[in-house]
Amino acid sequence: MIYKTIFVTMSLFVTLHSMPACSASDMETNTQSFSVKLGASRVIFDPASNGATLTVTNPQAYPMLVQSQTFDEDMKNKAPFVVTPPLMRLDGQQQSRLRIIRAGGAFSEDRESLQWLCVKGIPPKADDEWAKSEGGNTAKKVSLNLQVSINNCIKLLVRPASIKGSPDDAAALITWKIRDGKLEGTNNSAFYMNLSSLTVGGKKVVNAGYIPPFSSKKFDPLNKGVGGSVQWKIINDYGGESRSYHADLK
């Protein structure tokens, strides 16, 4: 899953000279959306490696600044990684690469650790002058620009080489039971189980999220009488969806 945070800034350009009041028809509103496309929905990072790379593309017809940061699992504190370049100009329709390098930190050697890589497209600086008519006179219309910047955050999964197997194989080992009226899933593997779908008794569990390694997670309360088989799918290392798994409630 890719998390997107939207930043909105509004710029209103006004004349430096006195002018008649403008009607609603004299107001031009332009909305521009600024985002970049990432080459993957997750980065698998070996903590003993020299780093990992991720492609970034500017799909717009104009240049943007691309800002990249890493965060801990809580998405509040900074993660011990350096992204180079942390800020760069990327011309329209062009592609470049980000390099993620470890800069310290202590990570578990027997399980994955979850960090986040957030990449934001920053719009070019807006024109701060009135639009001019052909004769050089001040235009009669006010320009209202609504600029929307989108921050794409993807999982940065720190996976030590000591972990064997794959998330697809480990997903079959998840066990399920009802506890206190809630569905509880237990992940018996060293991998994060990123659930793309989850149903119990044919009822879909919304926003299932993920189950950390060697941990259990409780989901929303179930309707009375719901039971039977649990079916689930996970998101694999390539951002795709795994096969369907199923198990009976215990």
Side-chain angles (χ1 to χ4, degrees), residues 199-202 227-231 246-249:
T199 61
V200 52
S229 178
V230 179
Q231 292 187 322
H246 69 276
D248 293 330
L249 285 170

Side-chain angles (χ1 to χ4, degrees), residues 18-33:
S18 60
M19 65 175 293
C22 297
S23 65
S25 61
D26 291 327
M27 182 77 72
E28 288 183 349
T29 303
N30 300 305
T31 301
Q32 292 177 295
S33 177

Side-chain angles (χ1 to χ4, degrees), residues 74-144:
D74 61 9
M75 296 192 76
K76 295 179 181 179
N77 300 309
K78 294 293 183 67
F81 292 89
V82 173
V83 183
T84 58
L87 182 68
M88 67 176 176
R89 173 191 162 116
L90 188 58
D91 289 332
Q93 306 296 320
Q94 296 300 304
Q95 184 181 90
S96 187
R97 285 180 179 270
L98 298 173
R99 184 167 182 80
I100 304 101
I101 303 170
R102 182 181 177 184
F107 297 101
S108 298
E109 297 182 359
D110 66 341
R111 69 193 67 191
E112 285 185 329
S113 300
L114 174 60
Q115 314 280 274
W116 294 92
L117 170 63
C118 295
V119 183
K120 179 171 65 175
I122 302 175
K125 186 177 180 181
D127 186 359
D128 59 358
E129 296 181 356
W130 278 96
K132 301 292 185 178
S133 65
E134 292 183 1
N137 297 323
T138 301
K140 292 182 180 180
K141 292 186 177 180
V142 175
S143 177
L144 183 65

